[in-house]
Amino acid sequence: MSFYGVELKSRLLLGTARYPSPKILGEAIQASGADVVTISLRREAGPERAGQSFWSLVRSLGVRVLPNTAGCHTVREAVTTAHMAREMFETPWIKLEVIRDEDTLQPDVFGLVEAARVLSEEGFEVFPYTTEDLAVADRLVEAGCRVLMPWGAPIGSARGLNNVYGLKALRAHFPDIPLVIDAGLGVPSHAAAAMELGYDAVLLNTAVAEAGDPVTMAKAFALAIEAGHMAFKARPMEPRDMAAPSTPTIGRAALGD
Amino acid sequence: MRIYVNGDQHEVEPGTLAGALDILGYGGRKIATAVNGRFVAASLRPATKLAEGDKVEVVAPMQGG
């Protein structure tokens, strides 16, 4: 699997927020096997050095960084944040979030497409956090995105795949664009289900960070993602309405009266 | 001259963004900057003059999803 020409071993991308401690964050990243972690930019207070120690930890883990524009509500904020991230992390990758609604953290897809166009033209490699809407996805690809990241459900909601039909349609519509389920998953079976639909990868944060044991949960998600991907490649059978005996009926002993 | 850094008011001598960041203790840190909502690259901080009332944002790597 590759994003913008970069080959990755793991199909799990992991967020770095909300862990009980930096130590558990580090262990969870290692247990997940993730090659890519998401990271944000926040105000650094003068006397504190919180950002600096966090950055040392991430660097020590040897993972690739996907900076985000979390919390941005306008195209201008997102574009400025992307520029700051590119300089800071020396990467053209940007997880583009332009949020519209505070309750659902639903993306402002109009602002998203506009910001994606501006950033793609400026040489960024954009990973847009979007909905499963086909027309929006088409506009994002038109704008230069070569990865799409539809939500499974609202960020941090742990609801799983809210619209399996829409996600299937998106997969069918974009067979050659890497598709990543970003947000809303709660348990490994959600991730396996996404992979069984043929999604290329899964981006997680809260489901791991807020589990009782984040390190074990990271490993559980990694296994589920691998299993789901393997199942997709093995071409699952289609569901049907009626039973079909799995044991052959021919050669059955006649034991009735 | 009065400027705002990450929303807090500071009194600094007229000068550049690089100068103000040094005085405020950001020297040598992994940060990125914007002035009045516009990104200012590290290489341009020494040449970026600050004016009364400027709003400076200083960000660092932070946990994110």
Side-chain angles (χ1 to χ4, degrees):
Chain A
M1 180 191 62
S2 70
F3 296 145
Y4 292 101
V6 175
E7 281 293 329
L8 299 169
K9 288 197 293 287
S10 172
R11 292 174 181 273
L12 194 171
L13 292 77
L14 198 59
T16 56
R18 293 171 166 268
Y19 292 80
S21 70
K23 180 172 177 288
I24 291 175
L25 164 63
E27 289 173 7
I29 291 171
Q30 282 176 326
S32 74
D35 301 314
V36 175
V37 299
T38 56
I39 195 166
S40 72
L41 294 177
R42 285 291 177 266
R43 284 173 164 179
E44 175 93 320
E48 294 162 21
R49 303 180 78 91
Q52 312 303 306
S53 56
F54 171 64
W55 179 237
S56 301
L57 169 68
V58 171
R59 270 208 315 194
S60 74
L61 297 167
V63 285
R64 189 175 285 271
V65 166
L66 173 58
N68 70 25
T69 64
C72 290
H73 285 72
T74 66
V75 172
R76 184 177 160 177
E77 283 174 343
V79 168
T80 301
T81 303
H83 277 109
M84 293 198 283
R86 179 162 69 177
E87 180 184 78
M88 179 113 66
F89 303 116
E90 298 169 40
T91 174
W93 283 13
I94 190 76
K95 177 185 165 182
L96 183 61
E97 294 183 35
V98 184
I99 299 298
R100 179 69 183 182
D101 181 72
E102 276 306 320
D103 290 331
T104 59
L105 296 178
Q106 177 141 356
D108 172 358
V109 294
F110 301 94
L112 183 70
V113 169
E114 173 64 11
R117 188 187 57 74
V118 170
L119 291 171
S120 297
E121 282 172 3
E122 291 179 2
F124 284 87
E125 294 173 347
V126 179
F127 294 62
Y129 165 63
T130 185
T131 66
E132 70 279 10
D133 189 289
L134 273 184
V136 171
D138 208 40
R139 293 282 188 190
L140 287 167
V141 171
E142 215 171 69
C145 298
R146 292 297 171 265
V147 174
L148 295 172
M149 302 212 297
W151 62 355
I155 296 171
S157 69
R159 295 178 60 85
L161 306 179
N162 259 353
N163 181 1
V164 170
Y165 166 78
L167 292 168
K168 267 188 185 172
L170 196 66
R171 178 71 284 179
H173 202 78
F174 296 99
D176 302 322
I177 299 273
L179 297 180
V180 183
I181 291 288
D182 177 8
L185 305 189
V187 286
S189 57
H190 295 155
M195 298 306 290
E196 287 164 11
L197 296 181
Y199 274 68
D200 294 280
V202 164
L203 198 165
L204 296 166
N205 188 346
T206 315
V208 170
E210 295 199 348
D213 176 352
V215 180
T216 302
M217 191 58 87
K219 181 74 183 163
F221 266 105
L223 291 170
I225 287 163
E226 202 181 322
H229 179 63
M230 204 180 279
F232 170 70
K233 283 196 301 186
R235 298 188 301 280
M237 65 174 282
E238 284 300 316
R240 52 193 170 204
D241 292 334
M242 303 299 284
S246 46
T247 303
T249 47
I250 294 172
R252 187 166 56 89
L255 302 174
D257 291 333
Chain B
M1 152 180 104
R2 188 189 334 162
I3 61 168
Y4 297 87
V5 178
N6 290 344
D8 293 333
Q9 195 175 306
H10 292 272
E11 281 294 331
V12 294
E13 293 298 312
T16 66
L17 175 59
L21 291 172
D22 265 345
I23 288 164
L24 295 169
Y26 287 106
R29 293 203 211 175
K30 191 161 189 72
I31 53 167
T33 52
V35 176
N36 299 329
R38 294 191 187 284
F39 169 61
V40 179
S43 59
L44 297 179
R45 285 177 206 150
T48 302
K49 292 226 169 10
L50 292 180
E52 172 79 23
D54 274 352
K55 294 183 174 64
V56 178
E57 291 290 325
V58 182
V59 296
M62 211 60 74
Q63 292 85 344

